Amino acid sequence: MATPIILFELLLALSILVALATDHSPLQDFCVADAKSQVLINGLACKDPKLAEANDFFFSGLHLEGNTSNAVGSMVTPVTVSQMPGLNTLGISMVRIDYAPWGINPPHTHPRASEILTVLEGHLEVGFVTSIPENRHITKVLKKGDVFVFPIGLIHYQRNVKSTNATAIAALSSQNPGVITIANSVFGCAPNIPSDILVRALQMDKNLVTHLQSIF
Ligand SMILES: *[C@@H]1O[C@H](CO)[C@@H](O)[C@H](O)[C@H]1NC(C)=O
Ligand SMILES: *[C@@H]1O[C@H](CO)[C@@H](O)[C@H](O)[C@H]1NC(C)=O
C-alpha cells in the first residue's frame, strides 16, 4: 500500500512548486535595476554592481500624506522597483495608503504578492474573499497597531470606518506586485469587453453595463 505515501509526496512536491510561485531569490548580493538597459528579461537587467550607490537602495517621502481627494477617498503611494531600483530581484516592496474619512481602497488583487498591512492611524475595516467554490468573505475591523495579511492573488479591500483620516503601511512579497482593480479591469479595459458578454456574465441590465463602462 505505497499509494498514500506516493500521493503525499506528490502533494508535498506540488506545495513546494506553489511556494516557488513568487519572486525568484537573488543569485548575487543585489541587482540594482539598470534604467537604461534595453534588455527585456523577467525582472529588470542589473547595472554594474560597482556603480551601485546608497540612493539605489533608498526612497524618501513616505511621511507625506497622499492626496485622497478622489472618487474612492484613498491614495496609494508605492515603493516598488519602479521607485527604488535596488529592490530588483529582492522579492519585496511596500506602500503607504491614506484614507479620507469613510474612504475605501476598492476591491483589487495583487497577482504576484501577498500583502501584510499595519494600521498607523485610524480604524480600517478590511477583508478578502477566498476562491471558488467557497468564496468565503473574511473580514475584520483593525485599529492602530493592528496587522492583517491578504494572501497572494485574493481579492481584498479596506475601508476607513471613522470620520478622521486613516493611514496604513503595507509590505508586499514582490518587487512588482501588480494591481488588478476589479471594477477598472472589468469595465474600464481598452478595448471594452463586449457589453453583451458582461450582461450575461454578471446577469446585469445592458444599460447598467454601459453606464459602468462609461465611469471606468
Ligand atoms: C488633490 O487632488 C485634487 C483632485 O485631483 C486636486 O484638485 C487638488 O489640487 C490636489 N491637492 C493637492 C494638495 O495636491
Ligand atoms: C486629512 O487628510 C486631508 C487630505 O490629505 C488633509 O487635507 C487634512 O488636513 C487631514 N486632516 C487631518 C485632521 O489630518
Side-chain angles (χ1 to χ4, degrees):
M1 283 299 287
T3 316
I5 295 173
I6 291 170
L7 264 180
F8 174 76
E9 283 173 357
L10 191 67
L11 278 176
L12 193 68
L14 277 176
S15 68
I16 290 167
L17 279 180
V18 169
L20 287 174
T22 178
D23 287 10
H24 293 283
S25 314
L27 303 176
Q28 58 244 320
D29 283 353
F30 52 77
C31 165
V32 172
D34 178 359
K36 292 192 284 285
S37 173
Q38 298 297 309
V39 183
L40 299 179
I41 54 166
N42 187 24
L44 299 162
C46 313
K47 80 177 192 187
D48 181 347
K50 288 193 281 302
L51 301 178
E53 50 189 66
N55 278 344
D56 292 327
F57 305 94
F58 172 78
F59 175 91
S60 178
L62 275 202
H63 62 301
L64 298 173
E65 233 169 43
N67 183 350
T68 59
S69 303
N70 53 50
V72 293
S74 75
M75 179 56 75
V76 176
T77 308
V79 187
T80 67
V81 73
S82 305
Q83 290 78 29
M84 184 190 275
L87 284 180
N88 193 34
T89 75
L90 297 188
I92 52 169
S93 57
M94 71 189 302
V95 297
R96 168 179 172 142
I97 315 171
D98 287 282
Y99 310 84
W102 304 101
I104 62 158
N105 185 9
H108 64 279
T109 99
H110 304 292
R112 292 177 289 276
S114 293
E115 171 177 355
I116 185 164
L117 176 142
T118 180
V119 180
L120 298 187
E121 204 57 67
H123 292 75
L124 293 180
E125 174 185 358
V126 302
F128 65 83
V129 179
T130 69
S131 58
I132 284 173
E134 289 84 10
N135 281 150
R136 186 149 82 95
H137 180 199
I138 295 179
T139 178
K140 190 166 176 66
V141 175
L142 310 179
K143 60 181 190 321
K144 181 173 178 167
D146 289 353
V147 178
F148 197 83
V149 68
F150 304 106
I152 183 168
L154 299 188
I155 294 178
H156 60 281
Y157 65 88
Q158 301 103 37
R159 167 163 66 171
N160 181 359
V161 288
K162 293 275 161 148
S163 47
T164 52
N165 290 342
T167 307
I169 292 274
L172 296 113
S173 58
S174 170
Q175 66 177 38
N176 180 24
V179 186
I180 298 170
T181 302
I182 307 310
N184 303 61
S185 294
V186 174
F187 296 106
C189 56
N192 273 342
I193 297 175
S195 56
D196 55 324
I197 293 183
L198 295 180
V199 163
R200 187 152 188 198
L202 305 173
Q203 301 286 299
M204 209 182 245
D205 182 77
K206 171 137 194 204
N207 291 330
L208 187 50
V209 168
T210 313
H211 173 66
L212 290 170
Q213 285 179 325
S214 72
I215 294 179
F216 293 101

